[in-house]
Amino acid sequence: MKRKSLLRFIVVSTLVVLMSWGKTLLSQERFRRMPPKPEPFAKLELPKVDSATLSNGLEVSVISRTELPLINLRLIIFAGEGSSPDKLPGLATYLSYLFSRGALNLSSSEIEEQIEYIGGTFSNLVYPDYTVFSFTFLEEYLDEALELLSRLILQPTFARIERDNVKRALVYSLRNMRETDPDFIAKRHLFRLLFKDHPYRKSTFNEDIINDIRKRDLLAFYNKFYCPNNAHIVLTGNLNLSTASRKVSRYLNTWKKKELKRSFIPPPNPASKQKICLVDLPRAKDATIYLGNIVLPITSMEVFPFTVFNQVLGGIYNGRLFMNLRESKGYAYNVYSDVEYFKTCSVFYIMAKVRPEVTYASIKEIMKEIEGITSARIPIKIIEQAKSYLIGKFPLQLESDNFSSRVSEITAFNLGEEHWLKYHESIQLINSKRVFEIAQKYSLLPPVVVIVGDKNILLDLPIEFEELEVYNSKGELQYKIKKGE
Amino acid sequence: MDNREISTNRISFLTLLLILLIVYAHSQIQEGKKLPFSLSQFKLENGLHVILSEDYSLPLVSVVLAYNVGSINEPPGKAGLAYLLEGLMMYHGSRNVDRMQHIGLIHRIGGEVNAGTGADKAIFLQKVPSNWLASVLWLESDRMYSLDINPANVERAKEDVIGIIRNRKQTNYYLESFHAFDELLFPGYAYGHPVLGNETDLKSITVEDVKNFYSTYYTPNNAILSIAGNIDPTKAEKLVRKYFETIPKGKEVPAPPEPEPYERKPVVKVIEDSLASLPGFLLGYRIASPYSDDFYALKLIEYILSKGNSSRLFKRLIKKELIVSDIRGQIETKGTLAAFKIYSRSSNDILREKSQKAVLSEINKLKSTLISDKELRKSKNMLKKDYISRYATSMNRARFLAEKYLARKTLDDLPGELERYLRVSSSEIAGIMNRYFTEDKVLLVVKIK
């Protein structure tokens, strides 16, 4: 009797549950309940990079890709903002904009027209160590593209009207960023403090300086650094090395080799004392925090464990900082860590965009996370997750133009194949112990901290640091506040 | 006896092989012979159209799911419904997928995820390492099958959209003018209202509205699944069948609303935009449907007039006469409708008037004088490069194929499409200019308050 009623109870309650869950539950296949397991990683087969050196010292590399009828040409000049004269930071950038703005008997409009005629786009990027021009066009116009490039290289004019145009545009955009873009302001300020007297500091130039640059300064820089033995051309497309070097040579063999010693830039010392700075950005709604220090150069083999470390700490959406400051505390809209690599050193930094009232609390939490990750080993599962993210992400970063961009980075920094053909292995080999060693070696404490936000809100909060330096939006030190003041 | 049987079998086998070869050859001619990439297609019983394109250059795969729905399908008084559904699909989970799990999973494996909703399509995109294909199909099928539509989720999604609308009003100072312009250019609610909707309508949207809209339009028979990248087509098809085949077919999808007729006469209006910082104007021409033969020349006209720094409008107004601070011209399509829109801003009202005149004179010039071969070649080359870029990456290609199929319900004409643009002659350009760039234009003058 008892058993019967129990049975009835089970039947009835099961029915009730099933009815309330609805009919569809019954019809759902089992495989829908859980995400499927991934298959093993597909093999990454990267195309070889073939290289040759022309008689004038110009290096030419070719990555043969047959899928698309487009060619990407990258001209790398091994001189960037770090090589600008000490008194004229910004010169390398200014020059890079002028490069495609005129040649002998060729106005900037005519150049634009020629580029667009071959279905092309042209862009420039200046880093502290090098400069890259990227030129993409329809493959049937390789000759036209090289001819245009040779005229830009061999017959620059730096005409007054173009100098003024570029100057105006550059000053306007820098001023605009300085007045409105908290990320630009914060990162620039952080880099200025970290690089103090180091040549890399020149990358953080103020817009006013552009007005001091004259034609003869441009020519001096151009004559010194824009020479074939200080340059490298990388071509990606449906072509082979012998065709490519023959064609490049036809248009650029009159580019004269010059005596040039590539000077070695020694790395700066990391900051040794914690410094907290507030840069005023009136009416900013959020507080933007950039916190960082100087770490290893890109050429170091420690880059690989460091990359895993960075992913665990500050990976977007999954890193410890994100899980704590955004998901758990609700302080930050966004928070991540990143590394900006240079030849002789790099900057490791953490970025957080937070509600102003929790600015100082956020900094404390960031410090806590750094302390945590440098004092205890990271569980193997987490390390493996970070590695599989990096290995999965790598091919995604190589699609289309990014492919040649990666190759020019490897070329510019003279990196080995562990950054290219063997990248997967380089990451796969990293274990928890290695990450732990790296975390301790490059432990961020004591970092330089830059906060960008509205001074009126941020200074109203109780200051919990020994000292706070207050800067105006131009980056000029106004005054210092001691704890309790 | 036995021998005969065998020989019959062999004959039938050979016949079969022959037939297969002929079919294969035929399909090669039909689709893909001139295409620079591989392409195969099939349809599931429930109506889901599937497109596969293999590309082994890198170990990654892109999956795009495109639904044939957008703001033009929204019932009156419910503007913003399609965009609201995008939010629900992206963040709020489905029966077996938790809130944020979709995005979380894709990011954890180093992938990219995105979505976009327009007037006539809703597209969901992801790019992942190719060994994760099954997971993406699991995620996509779950939100097609069983989106979690409950009062709390709908409320949160509504708040998000309202937040975006408010934010856009603060950052896009000309929003008021753009909306007013669209209402003039595309008369009637269905085609004239913004994709984001408006606060009043959004607040009035009920859970029932969302459920109805979802069950009507976000169904396999109203969708295209496009997969491009490092895939084994047989395996990929098996996976697609596993996750999508048992999703029930939706109801008959209602035809999109007919566009409202408009009067064939010029429309001129002046608006005082409360947020605009500079005066400007918006000029619009209603042009041929994107599915018509005239559209090839119209697309080239877009390049001639307004694409790139050496385009006619840019060269004259920005470089030569310096009378505008910026100028843009582009074709916008909404279902079967299309318009050519030109927008510019000047530092004062005198220059604004001058720039209007300059734009009209450039349009008249293109109507009355044949374009040179060189300039036409330049425009075609720019178009060609953009066209190639649309299938240059796996994500672009998956999207390109999905959108093409969505618009035309076939990919049969794809192999010759680029050629058709490149065949347009200078006299066709002039003819098309005269046909569509007529006096029945819409002009909205923007003045500052």
Side-chain angles (χ1 to χ4, degrees), chain A residues 124-164:
Chain A
N124 58 311
L125 265 174
V126 180
Y127 300 96
D129 297 298
Y130 64 103
T131 300
V132 190
F133 299 98
S134 173
F135 191 8
T136 305
F137 47 86
L138 294 169
E139 65 177 8
E140 58 267 38
Y141 293 106
L142 177 59
D143 281 288
E144 285 82 350
L146 287 170
E147 193 192 342
L148 176 63
L149 187 71
S150 77
R151 291 183 71 178
L152 299 182
I153 290 177
L154 301 172
Q155 305 161 339
T157 45
F158 307 131
R160 170 163 212 128
I161 178 160
E162 294 305 333
R163 290 197 327 264
D164 289 347

Side-chain angles (χ1 to χ4, degrees), chain A residues 311-312 315-320 322-323 389, chain B residues 104 107-109:
Chain A
Q311 182 57 31
V312 174
I316 299 177
Y317 298 106
N318 302 293
R320 288 188 176 184
F322 188 88
M323 295 317 283
Y389 170 90
Chain B
H107 281 155
R108 200 165 58 245
I109 59 180

Side-chain angles (χ1 to χ4, degrees), chain A residues 24-29 31-46 65 67-70 108-109 112-113 116-121 136-138 140-141 285 316-318 326 385 388-389 392-393 395-396 398-400 403 424, chain B residues 36 55 57-60 95-96 101 103-105 107-112 127-132 134-135 138 141-142 145 170 230 235 242-244 246-247 307-311 315 319 374 377-378 381-382 384-385 388-389 391-395:
Chain A
T24 42
L25 184 72
L26 292 169
S27 63
Q28 172 166 289
E29 301 98 327
F31 64 79
R32 295 205 184 272
R33 292 189 203 155
M34 295 292 287
K37 289 229 153 50
E39 295 190 11
F41 270 113
K43 202 164 180 264
L44 173 67
E45 278 174 46
L46 293 174
R65 305 202 74 186
E67 311 95 75
L68 293 173
L70 299 176
S108 79
S109 300
E112 267 169 0
E113 201 118 353
E116 292 185 346
Y117 184 80
I118 61 175
T121 49
T136 305
F137 47 86
L138 294 169
E140 58 267 38
Y141 293 106
K285 273 199 261 159
I316 299 177
Y317 298 106
N318 302 293
R326 195 190 130 111
Q385 261 180 18
S388 86
Y389 170 90
K393 182 95 196 158
L396 265 81
L398 292 179
E399 266 208 303
S400 188
F403 203 90
H424 276 189
Chain B
D55 178 347
S57 49
L58 287 166
L60 48 90
R95 186 160 159 200
N96 303 291
Q101 191 183 349
I103 293 187
L105 194 150
H107 281 155
R108 200 165 58 245
I109 59 180
E112 291 165 13
K127 173 154 80 174
V128 295
S130 51
N131 57 324
W132 288 88
S135 298
W138 174 73
S141 61
D142 212 57
Y145 198 172
Q170 278 176 7
N230 190 351
K235 261 168 119 181
K242 175 177 173 184
Y243 287 103
F244 287 90
T246 53
I247 301 177
K307 283 229 168 170
N309 290 352
S310 66
S311 63
K315 239 162 73 178
K319 293 185 122 174
K374 194 178 170 199
R377 170 60 47 203
K378 183 198 78 184
N381 282 342
M382 288 176 75
K384 185 176 170 186
K385 194 223 158 181
I388 292 165
S389 308
Y391 56 79
T393 63
S394 63
M395 178 90 99

Side-chain angles (χ1 to χ4, degrees), chain B residues 105-392:
Chain B
L105 194 150
I106 304 284
H107 281 155
R108 200 165 58 245
I109 59 180
E112 291 165 13
V113 53
N114 210 341
T117 299
D120 53 11
K121 52 183 161 278
I123 299 191
F124 299 87
L125 319 101
Q126 36 258 310
K127 173 154 80 174
V128 295
S130 51
N131 57 324
W132 288 88
L133 174 63
S135 298
V136 177
L137 296 177
W138 174 73
L139 290 166
E140 274 298 6
S141 61
D142 212 57
R143 63 183 175 189
M144 179 193 272
Y145 198 172
S146 56
L147 189 66
D148 193 359
I149 304 172
N150 65 47
N153 283 353
V154 171
E155 265 327 294
R156 279 184 89 155
K158 273 162 99 171
E159 276 168 29
D160 285 347
V161 181
I162 291 170
I164 295 170
I165 293 178
R166 287 186 187 159
N167 188 30
R168 247 183 229 189
K169 273 187 192 154
Q170 278 176 7
T171 51
N172 187 344
Y173 299 141
Y174 291 83
L175 210 59
E176 213 177 302
S177 310
F178 283 125
H179 288 168
F181 182 58
D182 270 8
E183 280 172 19
L184 296 172
L185 198 57
F186 304 105
Y189 162 80
Y191 291 83
H193 76 270
V195 174
L196 252 60
N198 60 68
E199 276 198 54
T200 327
D201 276 19
L202 276 161
K203 283 182 180 152
S204 82
I205 291 172
T206 63
V207 173
E208 230 23 62
D209 291 332
V210 179
K211 281 187 174 163
N212 278 336
F213 199 68
Y214 172 72
S215 66
T216 309
Y217 295 105
Y218 295 75
T219 58
N221 43 314
N222 197 39
I224 291 130
L225 173 64
S226 175
I227 305 174
N230 190 351
I231 49 167
D232 170 346
T234 321
K235 261 168 119 181
E237 179 170 345
K238 229 173 126 189
L239 280 174
V240 169
R241 289 194 183 277
K242 175 177 173 184
Y243 287 103
F244 287 90
E245 205 152 43
T246 53
I247 301 177
K249 185 175 182 162
K251 46 190 152 181
E252 189 78 29
V253 184
E258 281 293 319
E260 279 184 27
Y262 55 90
E263 274 189 87
R264 291 211 156 268
K265 62 167 199 199
V267 179
V268 181
K269 211 181 149 184
V270 179
I271 187 171
E272 279 196 356
D273 195 318
S274 52
L275 289 165
S277 53
L278 292 173
F281 70 90
L282 291 138
L283 176 65
Y285 295 91
R286 299 173 184 107
I287 56 172
S289 151
Y291 314 129
S292 70
D293 286 346
D294 287 353
F295 201 72
Y296 296 97
L298 284 161
K299 200 71 199 161
L300 270 167
I301 289 167
E302 187 184 7
Y303 281 85
I304 298 165
L305 283 177
S306 49
K307 283 229 168 170
N309 290 352
S310 66
S311 63
R312 291 194 175 188
L313 293 182
F314 194 89
K315 239 162 73 178
R316 168 142 176 208
L317 283 91
I318 291 216
K319 293 185 122 174
K320 203 171 135 213
E321 297 185 3
L322 307 151
I323 50 179
V324 294
S325 61
D326 54 346
I327 184 156
R328 251 180 292 157
Q330 66 200 42
I331 292 176
E332 188 180 318
T333 62
K334 295 187 178 193
T336 53
L337 294 188
F340 199 108
K341 289 174 157 184
I342 295 166
Y343 150 78
S344 100
R345 295 187 300 169
S346 300
S347 55
N348 60 52
D349 229 27
I350 299 163
L351 288 183
R352 191 262 309 152
E353 240 185 287
K354 227 176 149 184
S355 62
Q356 260 167 248
K357 283 191 186 136
V359 167
L360 289 175
S361 104
E362 284 302 322
I363 285 172
N364 284 332
K365 214 190 282 168
L366 199 54
K367 282 157 93 168
S368 57
T369 320
L370 284 186
I371 177 174
S372 74
D373 288 347
K374 194 178 170 199
E375 192 184 353
L376 186 59
R377 170 60 47 203
K378 183 198 78 184
S379 306
K380 285 179 179 175
N381 282 342
M382 288 176 75
L383 182 145
K384 185 176 170 186
K385 194 223 158 181
D386 286 350
Y387 192 90
I388 292 165
S389 308
R390 291 185 65 192
Y391 56 79

Side-chain angles (χ1 to χ4, degrees), chain A residues 43-251:
Chain A
K43 202 164 180 264
L44 173 67
E45 278 174 46
L46 293 174
K48 253 182 47 222
V49 184
D50 293 319
S51 306
T53 309
L54 305 185
S55 54
N56 58 2
L58 177 64
E59 266 192 88
V60 178
S61 294
V62 171
I63 309 157
S64 181
R65 305 202 74 186
T66 53
E67 311 95 75
L68 293 173
L70 299 176
I71 292 177
N72 175 253
L73 181 155
R74 270 165 207 259
L75 168 66
I76 307 162
I77 303 287
F78 297 105
E81 210 41 79
S83 302
S84 285
D86 291 345
K87 286 192 179 143
L88 296 173
L91 192 150
T93 305
Y94 184 30
L95 176 60
S96 78
Y97 281 99
L98 278 166
F99 183 74
S100 61
R101 295 293 196 102
L104 195 63
N105 302 322
L106 204 57
S107 71
S108 79
S109 300
E110 286 165 331
I111 292 170
E112 267 169 0
E113 201 118 353
Q114 286 195 15
I115 290 170
E116 292 185 346
Y117 184 80
I118 61 175
T121 49
F122 194 96
S123 63
N124 58 311
L125 265 174
V126 180
Y127 300 96
D129 297 298
Y130 64 103
T131 300
V132 190
F133 299 98
S134 173
F135 191 8
T136 305
F137 47 86
L138 294 169
E139 65 177 8
E140 58 267 38
Y141 293 106
L142 177 59
D143 281 288
E144 285 82 350
L146 287 170
E147 193 192 342
L148 176 63
L149 187 71
S150 77
R151 291 183 71 178
L152 299 182
I153 290 177
L154 301 172
Q155 305 161 339
T157 45
F158 307 131
R160 170 163 212 128
I161 178 160
E162 294 305 333
R163 290 197 327 264
D164 289 347
N165 285 340
V166 170
K167 203 179 274 182
R168 209 177 313 116
L170 203 55
V171 168
Y172 174 81
S173 95
L174 282 169
R175 184 181 303 139
N176 191 34
M177 285 197 284
R178 170 169 66 73
E179 284 169 358
T180 59
D181 184 349
D183 291 273
F184 172 81
I185 301 168
K187 204 167 165 186
R188 184 165 83 165
H189 201 79
L190 174 68
F191 279 37
R192 279 181 180 173
L193 295 175
L194 289 175
F195 286 133
K196 284 178 264 169
D197 304 322
H198 191 268
Y200 285 164
R201 191 181 195 273
K202 287 179 256 181
S203 303
T204 65
F205 61 93
N206 255 330
E207 71 267 13
D208 320 339
I209 200 80
I210 300 293
N211 288 314
D212 298 345
I213 300 173
R214 292 151 305 173
K215 186 175 176 177
R216 66 160 184 252
D217 305 317
L218 291 163
L219 278 171
F221 189 92
Y222 184 84
N223 288 330
K224 184 168 177 195
F225 296 111
Y226 280 57
C227 50
N229 45 325
N230 195 40
H232 193 134
I233 286 180
V234 180
L235 286 144
T236 313
N238 193 0
L239 71 179
N240 59 38
L241 183 63
S242 68
T243 321
S245 25
R246 188 164 35 85
K247 294 220 165 178
V248 173
S249 164
R250 187 193 305 161
Y251 292 100

